[in-house]
Amino acid sequence: MLFLLRQARCRAATPRRLSNSPARYLQTARVIFSGIQPTGVPHLGNYLGALRQWVTLQDAAAPDETLLYAIVDLHAITLKQDPAQLRQWRREMLASLLAVGLDPKRSIIFCQSDVPQHAELMWILSCNASMGYLSRMTQWKSKLSLPATASPLDLAPPRSPSAPSLPSLKLGLFSYPVLQAADILLYRTTHVPVGEDQSQHLEFAREVANSFNHIFSPTTPLLIPPETILSPAKRIMSLTKPTKKMSKSDPDIKSRILITDSKDVISKKLKSSLTDSLDGISYNHSTRPGVSNLIDIMYYLDESIASSPVQLCADFQNMSLKALKEKVAEAVDTQIRDVRERYESVMGGDAGALADVGDEGARKAEERAKETIGRVRKVLGFTWD
């Protein structure tokens, strides 16, 4: 899971306020939550589309605002994981969050599995989550490569020989959105920065919160329906398959640039990136996806250099593809050089110090989580008084 964050000039700088007064939910200050799966070192798409804005939100936050950024390892195990690799990926992701500029003294940075209240609230919310609603969610369908119209019943006999078997859909994957909702609602989150592809999950979280409040806490709503901080998408595509998004799951390491790649590695990956044999530089994702992706990367690295990717492309129209790739490589290295150096410093330092950051973040997160769970337990009748 990735609640995708975008850059400073998006509406994150001036987010929509809650449609209902925050006082109605016994909350006045803004709380921002987002999470990222532990997939090891993030790639350039993660950085430009998400992580860089996490830092922007942190640096622009008012003193009374709370920011929580989670490494969502419980979500990761909806697919089979190697324990040793997952442990390493958690460390690499935490080091990466520090390297991009998140400050554990200002933001609460933690691993989801270190706060047991996530799982507890998920179960409670599951007891009122609609199977019909969940069946319409896209997460489990995309993971199993099923069409958007698929239903859980489609996987049960009788089915065609080519259809996925019923065991291929696990309960954890199907109920993934409930855990996402619990992640958000546990901290009485008021705002969640997301990309357009995650808006469905935020709508589900609002649905779950409203349903819970209606049943158990109608007078003074307990769970806060979160607002969305939505920004224009920054889709960074694969260097080898520019019609697909850049992804860590692609077996070809040349398809992506990691935020820890050296200048030489960046140059080699971009030099071998798939473009075309046409002359000149033009911007059209349909006819020239590879070239357009390079322009997008250049533009999103520093949006102050042009008003749009199209305008930036006009400045390069007479440039050769070789020269364009070299220019993009230089821009990427300039942007991530400091991040790379900080990452190497963190990973090369005391392993215990990195673990302490995660432990301290989990402690702070659990303090807030216990407050919400305490209120939830009370309205459910799970207390003795």
Side-chain angles (χ1 to χ4, degrees):
M1 170 191 79
L2 171 59
F3 298 123
L4 292 178
L5 306 181
R6 308 303 182 191
Q7 276 190 307
R9 70 171 57 180
C10 74
R11 283 160 45 191
T14 55
R16 291 187 295 138
R17 292 294 173 183
L18 289 170
S19 56
N20 295 306
S21 169
R24 184 181 179 219
Y25 299 93
L26 303 179
Q27 178 127 348
T28 56
R30 194 168 65 149
V31 177
I32 297 173
F33 175 93
S34 195
I36 188 169
Q37 286 207 25
T39 55
V41 177
H43 56 65
L44 191 63
N46 300 139
Y47 177 66
L48 295 178
L51 301 182
R52 192 165 62 174
Q53 193 193 352
W54 287 21
V55 179
T56 298
L57 287 170
Q58 169 191 267
D59 295 346
D64 63 343
E65 293 181 342
T66 301
L67 302 99
L68 301 105
Y69 298 125
I71 299 172
V72 289
D73 46 359
L74 290 177
H75 288 289
I77 63 172
T78 55
L79 300 177
K80 191 177 186 302
Q81 302 287 340
D82 174 76
Q85 184 179 66
L86 181 58
R87 187 176 297 110
Q88 177 65 15
W89 280 353
R90 282 177 19 131
R91 292 186 69 248
E92 291 175 352
M93 183 57 73
L94 179 55
S96 297
L97 298 185
L98 300 179
V100 299
L102 288 183
D103 182 357
K105 294 180 180 179
R106 182 61 187 90
S107 297
I108 299 174
I109 311 167
F110 66 102
C111 284
Q112 178 191 34
S113 65
D114 289 336
V115 182
Q117 289 79 11
H118 283 262
E120 181 177 357
L121 184 58
M122 181 200 178
W123 171 250
I124 291 170
L125 298 179
S126 295
C127 293
N128 289 289
S130 164
M131 283 284 290
Y133 203 130
L134 285 170
S135 70
R136 295 191 295 273
M137 302 296 280
T138 59
Q139 182 73 26
W140 64 274
K141 299 173 187 179
S142 62
K143 291 292 184 181
L144 297 178
S145 299
L146 295 172
T149 56
S151 162
L153 298 180
D154 294 339
L155 305 184
R159 60 181 187 275
S160 67
S162 61
S165 63
L166 185 60
S168 66
L169 177 58
K170 308 299 182 183
L171 178 58
L173 181 58
F174 184 70
S175 59
Y176 189 105
V178 185
L179 180 55
Q180 276 194 329
D183 295 337
I184 298 165
L185 301 177
L186 183 60
Y187 299 103
R188 297 175 60 78
T189 301
T190 61
H191 293 81
V192 181
V194 297
E196 294 178 358
D197 56 346
Q198 288 288 320
S199 60
Q200 185 185 45
H201 294 284
L202 262 294
E203 185 58 39
F204 180 75
R206 285 190 283 268
E207 173 75 15
V208 169
N210 287 326
S211 176
F212 182 93
N213 290 336
H214 177 74
I215 298 171
F216 297 107
S217 187
T219 304
T220 305
L222 196 162
L223 300 180
I224 298 178
E227 285 289 299
T228 300
I229 300 175
L230 188 63
S231 66
K234 294 178 175 60
R235 292 174 61 86
I236 303 301
M237 313 305 280
S238 165
L239 298 181
T240 56
K241 303 171 185 175
T243 58
K244 296 183 178 181
K245 287 182 67 175
M246 187 175 288
S247 172
K248 288 292 291 291
S249 62
D250 192 319
D252 188 350
I253 61 173
K254 294 181 179 181
S255 68
R256 56 190 173 272
I257 295 173
L258 303 182
I259 63 170
T260 56
D261 280 346
S262 68
K263 182 177 182 179
D264 184 56
V265 169
I266 293 169
S267 179
K268 288 180 178 178
K269 287 181 176 179
L270 283 166
K271 184 178 181 180
S272 64
S273 63
L274 181 64
T275 50
D276 53 50
S277 58
L278 301 178
D279 293 331
I281 307 299
S282 57
Y283 188 81
N284 188 310
H285 280 282
S286 296
T287 59
R288 307 194 74 182
V291 175
S292 299
N293 188 41
L294 296 180
I295 295 294
D296 282 339
I297 290 173
M298 187 80 177
Y299 175 72
Y300 291 130
L301 285 169
D302 182 1
E303 294 183 47
S304 68
I305 62 176
S307 60
S308 68
V310 174
Q311 195 276 321
L312 178 62
C313 183
D315 296 338
F316 299 151
Q317 59 183 338
N318 297 319
M319 186 179 290
S320 68
L321 284 173
K322 179 182 178 182
L324 176 64
K325 291 180 179 182
E326 290 174 350
K327 194 169 186 65
V328 174
E330 181 181 355
V332 171
D333 180 65
T334 299
Q335 181 68 229
I336 70 172
R337 185 186 301 128
D338 291 344
V339 174
R340 179 175 64 233
E341 291 175 356
R342 286 193 295 266
Y343 177 87
E344 291 171 352
S345 176
V346 172
M347 289 297 286
D350 182 6
L354 184 60
D356 288 344
V357 171
D359 289 342
E360 178 63 11
R363 184 191 65 77
K364 292 178 181 178
E366 189 167 9
E367 284 181 0
R368 297 185 65 90
K370 283 181 176 179
E371 291 181 11
T372 302
I373 284 295
R375 295 175 184 177
V376 169
R377 284 173 162 266
K378 188 174 182 65
V379 299
L380 288 174
F382 286 171
T383 57
W384 293 110
D385 56 347

